[in-house]
Amino acid sequence: MQPLSTRTEHFTDSVIRRMTRVSAKYGAINLSQGYPDFNPPSAILDHLAEVSHENFHQYSITWGAQNFREALAEKQSRLMGRQIDPNTEIVTTCGSTEAMMAAMMTVANPGDKVIVFSPFYENYGADTILSGAEPIYVPLHPPLFNFNVVELEAAFRQHPKALILCNPSNPCGKVFTRAELELIADMAEKYDTYVITDEVYEHIVYAPYQHTYFATLPGMWQRTISCSSLSKTYSITSWRLGYTIAPPEITDRIKKVHDFLTVGAAAPLQEAVIPGLRFGQEYYNDLLATYTRKRDLFVEGLDAIGLQHTVPQGAYYILMDISEFGFDSDLEFCEVLARDVGVGAVPGSSFFREPVNHLIRFHFAKRDETLCAALNRLETIRKKIPARK
Ligand code: GLN
């Protein structure tokens, strides 16, 4: 038999999603793969029930149902402060996962370089490999996860085709300041580089931090592909609804890539979520208030146990320092944590390019009672996982 593709030879599965299976195996409270254990808004669920008996069971327009794109364009035009054209500037995708992949395939040729900040959401590594591109990693230095301008410019000097910007950032919770984004914008302009954003946590930015859409910076609209999703905003991660927003010339190409990759996102779900896209600002304020409370609850819980951790500015992840346990492998630590303490986490090494293995990631998109139950279990962590010398 001939060998399978070299491109996929060194692929591992997603460790994030593997940890969900590990959690299930041990009956652990799953704070690994980031998704809520509470319901989406009832207006969306009610509409889902209604549309199930309507005529939405066949393909929608490949780049997204007309109604969906119009509602989305209205919402994003308001937030991004420019008129987004639902027909020529939006492609509806199967989650931001597909949006990012379609964006990469649209922009990069095999051999092209792409800047990725590290730590990074693990899909970006796979996206670059699948599109034949080569990642250049630029570290975000803990504890504040700032980048070094000299290191960033050194990466730009290699003439990358694109930079991937996850803002707010998974897993480190960084919210890029306007000044930092302007610095990136200057370099993108100077070195003629596309910027592919992942802004799925756009509505989960804790005070006093604020989200700036990269595409809204002066001159950046024409070189930015904004990717996002409805998963986190409306707590519907399995609906796989995402999108790209980009100028017509780029969108035209993304439409074709998307058409051949997946044909389209689920039509009934695009229809069902429309009341959500039409929610007023109050919904987003409530969402943020909910996540702020959950963040504080979880952070205070870890503090009470005396565990060291980051405090996110955005998104819903916390990195916890496990140095005191003396493990050589954070992957092994997470397996032991799930088995013996009963809490699922993701080893930090799956996010860092650098040899970092003293951090693990928890998410707190869970009901308060789930978070309290997890904290109760974590109180026993030092007894159940004795420190290794
Ligand atoms: N973004 C989520 C996380 O980092 C999960 C996304 C996914 O598994 N598709 O856990």
Side-chain angles (χ1 to χ4, degrees):
M1 299 271 282
Q2 296 200 59
L4 299 174
S5 74
T6 39
R7 170 192 297 131
T8 53
E9 211 171 64
H10 300 292
F11 254 40
T12 60
D13 56 332
S14 151
V15 180
I16 296 177
R17 297 183 271 282
R18 190 196 311 166
M19 290 317 294
T20 285
R21 299 191 292 274
V22 169
S23 299
K25 179 167 102 187
Y26 295 121
I29 297 172
N30 185 10
L31 304 187
S32 62
Q33 186 183 12
Y35 61 87
D37 66 348
F38 43 87
N39 271 341
S42 51
I44 295 179
L45 296 184
D46 292 347
H47 199 48
L48 175 64
E50 276 162 38
V51 302
S52 71
H53 291 287
E54 291 173 28
N55 193 15
F56 294 113
H57 298 291
Q58 311 309 327
Y59 304 120
S60 65
I61 295 173
T62 169
W63 57 86
Q66 191 69 27
N67 291 346
F68 176 91
R69 277 180 289 106
E70 282 173 9
L72 179 65
E74 219 172 281
K75 168 181 179 262
Q76 292 308 122
S77 298
R78 189 172 67 241
L79 292 166
M80 296 171 81
R82 72 174 289 135
Q83 221 37 54
I84 313 281
D85 185 330
N87 297 316
T88 61
E89 296 178 334
I90 292 181
V91 180
T92 311
T93 57
C94 300
S96 184
T97 298
E98 195 220 336
M100 299 286 294
M101 189 70 226
M104 282 289 292
M105 301 205 61
T106 296
V107 161
N109 285 316
D112 280 347
K113 300 204 162 114
V114 174
I115 298 180
V116 177
F117 287 109
S118 165
F120 61 97
Y121 173 52
E122 56 183 8
N123 277 41
Y124 309 154
D127 290 347
T128 47
I129 293 165
L130 285 174
S131 58
E134 220 184 281
I136 313 172
Y137 294 97
V138 174
L140 294 172
H141 296 282
L144 295 176
F145 296 99
N146 290 332
F147 59 82
N148 174 315
V149 186
V150 177
E151 287 172 341
L152 183 63
E153 182 134 30
F156 269 102
R157 273 206 218 92
Q158 298 181 49
H159 289 287
K161 197 68 172 290
L163 173 142
I164 295 180
L165 178 72
C166 181
N167 183 33
S169 187
N170 174 10
C172 67
K174 177 184 178 66
V175 172
F176 286 75
T177 63
R178 194 176 173 94
E180 286 175 315
L181 296 174
E182 281 170 353
L183 233 147
I184 296 170
D186 286 347
M187 291 198 205
E189 185 86 53
K190 179 166 164 197
Y191 293 96
D192 189 14
T193 304
Y194 290 98
V195 175
I196 301 172
T197 72
D198 178 355
E199 292 169 288
V200 303
Y201 305 99
E202 64 202 285
H203 294 290
I204 308 176
V205 175
Y206 307 105
Y209 303 97
Q210 281 188 336
H211 184 64
T212 303
Y213 290 92
F214 190 79
T216 66
L217 294 178
M220 287 303 106
W221 167 252
Q222 73 231 42
R223 58 176 67 255
T224 304
I225 302 176
S226 306
C227 300
S228 193
S229 121
L230 283 63
S231 293
K232 309 319 203 228
T233 303
Y234 304 108
S235 309
I236 47 171
T237 58
S238 87
W239 288 28
R240 313 312 301 132
L241 290 178
Y243 56 89
T244 60
I245 295 181
E249 319 74 69
I250 302 180
T251 293
D252 198 46
R253 196 71 72 85
I254 299 174
K255 281 179 179 171
K256 292 171 191 150
V257 176
H258 158 77
D259 191 1
F260 289 116
L261 270 180
T262 61
V263 179
L269 301 181
Q270 294 184 62
E271 212 53 48
V273 82
I274 288 174
L277 292 171
R278 301 232 154 94
F279 284 155
Q281 188 52 40
E282 200 179 309
Y283 172 77
Y284 304 99
N285 296 345
D286 287 351
L287 182 79
L288 182 58
T290 300
Y291 276 116
T292 304
R293 199 189 62 241
K294 291 185 186 304
R295 178 189 70 159
D296 295 347
L297 189 160
F298 199 62
V299 159
E300 282 160 24
L302 292 179
D303 285 345
I305 305 168
L307 295 162
Q308 302 296 315
H309 58 82
T310 57
V311 178
Q313 302 169 345
Y316 50 49
Y317 304 100
I318 280 180
L319 293 172
M320 187 179 98
D321 193 323
I322 55 163
S323 308
E324 65 171 275
F325 297 94
F327 276 61
D328 292 331
S329 157
D330 56 353
L331 186 63
E332 188 197 349
F333 183 88
C334 286
E335 182 93 22
V336 173
L337 183 70
R339 190 190 64 205
D340 297 348
V341 182
V343 180
V346 184
S349 55
S350 39
F351 305 102
F352 283 87
R353 176 63 181 171
E354 304 75 40
V356 170
N357 58 15
H358 68 288
L359 297 172
I360 62 170
R361 192 195 76 172
F362 289 121
H363 83 91
F364 51 85
K366 291 284 182 261
R367 284 175 287 151
D368 292 1
E369 65 212 71
T370 310
L371 294 174
C372 290
L375 287 166
N376 280 340
R377 291 184 183 191
L378 286 171
E379 269 176 24
T380 64
I381 191 170
R382 291 193 180 93
K383 205 162 73 207
K384 298 213 169 123
I385 311 184
R388 294 179 176 175
K389 292 290 173 273

PDB file of all heavy atoms in Angstrom, residues 118 139-148 151:
ATOM      1  N   SER A 118       2.155  32.553  20.076  1.00  0.00           N
ATOM      2  CA  SER A 118       2.136  31.383  20.956  1.00  0.00           C
ATOM      3  C   SER A 118       2.095  31.851  22.402  1.00  0.00           C
ATOM      4  O   SER A 118       2.901  32.702  22.768  1.00  0.00           O
ATOM      5  CB  SER A 118       3.387  30.532  20.702  1.00  0.00           C
ATOM      6  OG  SER A 118       3.577  29.607  21.733  1.00  0.00           O
ATOM      7  N   PRO A 139       6.302  34.547  20.401  1.00  0.00           N
ATOM      8  CA  PRO A 139       5.805  34.301  21.762  1.00  0.00           C
ATOM      9  C   PRO A 139       5.050  35.476  22.372  1.00  0.00           C
ATOM     10  O   PRO A 139       5.407  36.639  22.162  1.00  0.00           O
ATOM     11  CB  PRO A 139       7.087  34.005  22.564  1.00  0.00           C
ATOM     12  CG  PRO A 139       8.212  34.512  21.758  1.00  0.00           C
ATOM     13  CD  PRO A 139       7.767  34.565  20.319  1.00  0.00           C
ATOM     14  N   LEU A 140       3.997  35.151  23.101  1.00  0.00           N
ATOM     15  CA  LEU A 140       3.336  36.095  24.004  1.00  0.00           C
ATOM     16  C   LEU A 140       3.900  35.737  25.375  1.00  0.00           C
ATOM     17  O   LEU A 140       3.668  34.629  25.866  1.00  0.00           O
ATOM     18  CB  LEU A 140       1.821  35.889  23.985  1.00  0.00           C
ATOM     19  CG  LEU A 140       1.096  36.211  22.685  1.00  0.00           C
ATOM     20  CD1 LEU A 140      -0.368  35.770  22.760  1.00  0.00           C
ATOM     21  CD2 LEU A 140       1.181  37.701  22.355  1.00  0.00           C
ATOM     22  N   HIS A 141       4.655  36.680  25.955  1.00  0.00           N
ATOM     23  CA  HIS A 141       5.417  36.316  27.148  1.00  0.00           C
ATOM     24  C   HIS A 141       4.582  36.381  28.423  1.00  0.00           C
ATOM     25  O   HIS A 141       4.033  37.436  28.735  1.00  0.00           O
ATOM     26  CB  HIS A 141       6.627  37.244  27.292  1.00  0.00           C
ATOM     27  CG  HIS A 141       7.605  37.107  26.151  1.00  0.00           C
ATOM     28  ND1 HIS A 141       8.495  36.061  26.067  1.00  0.00           N
ATOM     29  CD2 HIS A 141       7.799  37.857  25.034  1.00  0.00           C
ATOM     30  CE1 HIS A 141       9.202  36.182  24.953  1.00  0.00           C
ATOM     31  NE2 HIS A 141       8.797  37.263  24.303  1.00  0.00           N
ATOM     32  N   PRO A 142       4.485  35.256  29.168  1.00  0.00           N
ATOM     33  CA  PRO A 142       3.802  35.291  30.445  1.00  0.00           C
ATOM     34  C   PRO A 142       4.583  36.200  31.410  1.00  0.00           C
ATOM     35  O   PRO A 142       5.785  36.375  31.194  1.00  0.00           O
ATOM     36  CB  PRO A 142       3.821  33.846  30.929  1.00  0.00           C
ATOM     37  CG  PRO A 142       4.477  33.027  29.852  1.00  0.00           C
ATOM     38  CD  PRO A 142       5.035  33.942  28.831  1.00  0.00           C
ATOM     39  N   PRO A 143       4.011  36.768  32.456  1.00  0.00           N
ATOM     40  CA  PRO A 143       2.626  36.532  32.890  1.00  0.00           C
ATOM     41  C   PRO A 143       1.613  37.441  32.182  1.00  0.00           C
ATOM     42  O   PRO A 143       0.431  37.175  32.236  1.00  0.00           O
ATOM     43  CB  PRO A 143       2.676  36.868  34.384  1.00  0.00           C
ATOM     44  CG  PRO A 143       3.749  37.922  34.494  1.00  0.00           C
ATOM     45  CD  PRO A 143       4.759  37.600  33.420  1.00  0.00           C
ATOM     46  N   LEU A 144       2.070  38.518  31.500  1.00  0.00           N
ATOM     47  CA  LEU A 144       1.091  39.442  30.907  1.00  0.00           C
ATOM     48  C   LEU A 144       0.754  39.073  29.461  1.00  0.00           C
ATOM     49  O   LEU A 144      -0.137  39.628  28.862  1.00  0.00           O
ATOM     50  CB  LEU A 144       1.613  40.887  30.967  1.00  0.00           C
ATOM     51  CG  LEU A 144       1.774  41.442  32.385  1.00  0.00           C
ATOM     52  CD1 LEU A 144       2.392  42.842  32.358  1.00  0.00           C
ATOM     53  CD2 LEU A 144       0.425  41.485  33.111  1.00  0.00           C
ATOM     54  N   PHE A 145       1.512  38.139  28.920  1.00  0.00           N
ATOM     55  CA  PHE A 145       1.311  37.685  27.543  1.00  0.00           C
ATOM     56  C   PHE A 145       1.427  38.829  26.536  1.00  0.00           C
ATOM     57  O   PHE A 145       0.637  38.950  25.603  1.00  0.00           O
ATOM     58  CB  PHE A 145      -0.023  36.919  27.407  1.00  0.00           C
ATOM     59  CG  PHE A 145      -0.017  35.652  28.224  1.00  0.00           C
ATOM     60  CD1 PHE A 145      -0.623  35.601  29.472  1.00  0.00           C
ATOM     61  CD2 PHE A 145       0.666  34.530  27.771  1.00  0.00           C
ATOM     62  CE1 PHE A 145      -0.568  34.452  30.250  1.00  0.00           C
ATOM     63  CE2 PHE A 145       0.729  33.367  28.538  1.00  0.00           C
ATOM     64  CZ  PHE A 145       0.098  33.342  29.775  1.00  0.00           C
ATOM     65  N   ASN A 146       2.442  39.669  26.765  1.00  0.00           N
ATOM     66  CA  ASN A 146       2.740  40.724  25.799  1.00  0.00           C
ATOM     67  C   ASN A 146       3.718  40.189  24.762  1.00  0.00           C
ATOM     68  O   ASN A 146       4.517  39.307  25.059  1.00  0.00           O
ATOM     69  CB  ASN A 146       3.358  41.930  26.506  1.00  0.00           C
ATOM     70  CG  ASN A 146       2.318  42.630  27.359  1.00  0.00           C
ATOM     71  OD1 ASN A 146       1.123  42.574  27.051  1.00  0.00           O
ATOM     72  ND2 ASN A 146       2.744  43.249  28.442  1.00  0.00           N
ATOM     73  N   PHE A 147       3.641  40.740  23.553  1.00  0.00           N
ATOM     74  CA  PHE A 147       4.649  40.366  22.563  1.00  0.00           C
ATOM     75  C   PHE A 147       5.761  41.403  22.584  1.00  0.00           C
ATOM     76  O   PHE A 147       5.567  42.534  23.037  1.00  0.00           O
ATOM     77  CB  PHE A 147       4.040  40.204  21.158  1.00  0.00           C
ATOM     78  CG  PHE A 147       3.365  41.431  20.613  1.00  0.00           C
ATOM     79  CD1 PHE A 147       4.093  42.443  20.004  1.00  0.00           C
ATOM     80  CD2 PHE A 147       1.984  41.578  20.699  1.00  0.00           C
ATOM     81  CE1 PHE A 147       3.474  43.575  19.494  1.00  0.00           C
ATOM     82  CE2 PHE A 147       1.349  42.703  20.194  1.00  0.00           C
ATOM     83  CZ  PHE A 147       2.098  43.716  19.597  1.00  0.00           C
ATOM     84  N   ASN A 148       6.918  40.969  22.084  1.00  0.00           N
ATOM     85  CA  ASN A 148       8.071  41.839  21.996  1.00  0.00           C
ATOM     86  C   ASN A 148       8.117  42.358  20.551  1.00  0.00           C
ATOM     87  O   ASN A 148       8.110  41.577  19.602  1.00  0.00           O
ATOM     88  CB  ASN A 148       9.296  40.985  22.353  1.00  0.00           C
ATOM     89  CG  ASN A 148      10.592  41.699  22.175  1.00  0.00           C
ATOM     90  OD1 ASN A 148      10.806  42.373  21.158  1.00  0.00           O
ATOM     91  ND2 ASN A 148      11.477  41.529  23.131  1.00  0.00           N
ATOM     92  N   GLU A 151      10.786  40.950  18.298  1.00  0.00           N
ATOM     93  CA  GLU A 151      10.493  39.574  17.863  1.00  0.00           C
ATOM     94  C   GLU A 151       9.402  39.567  16.790  1.00  0.00           C
ATOM     95  O   GLU A 151       9.467  38.805  15.822  1.00  0.00           O
ATOM     96  CB  GLU A 151      10.062  38.708  19.057  1.00  0.00           C
ATOM     97  CG  GLU A 151      11.222  38.354  19.970  1.00  0.00           C
ATOM     98  CD  GLU A 151      10.792  37.659  21.268  1.00  0.00           C
ATOM     99  OE1 GLU A 151       9.621  37.737  21.663  1.00  0.00           O
ATOM    100  OE2 GLU A 151      11.678  37.048  21.908  1.00  0.00           O
TER     101      GLU A 151
END
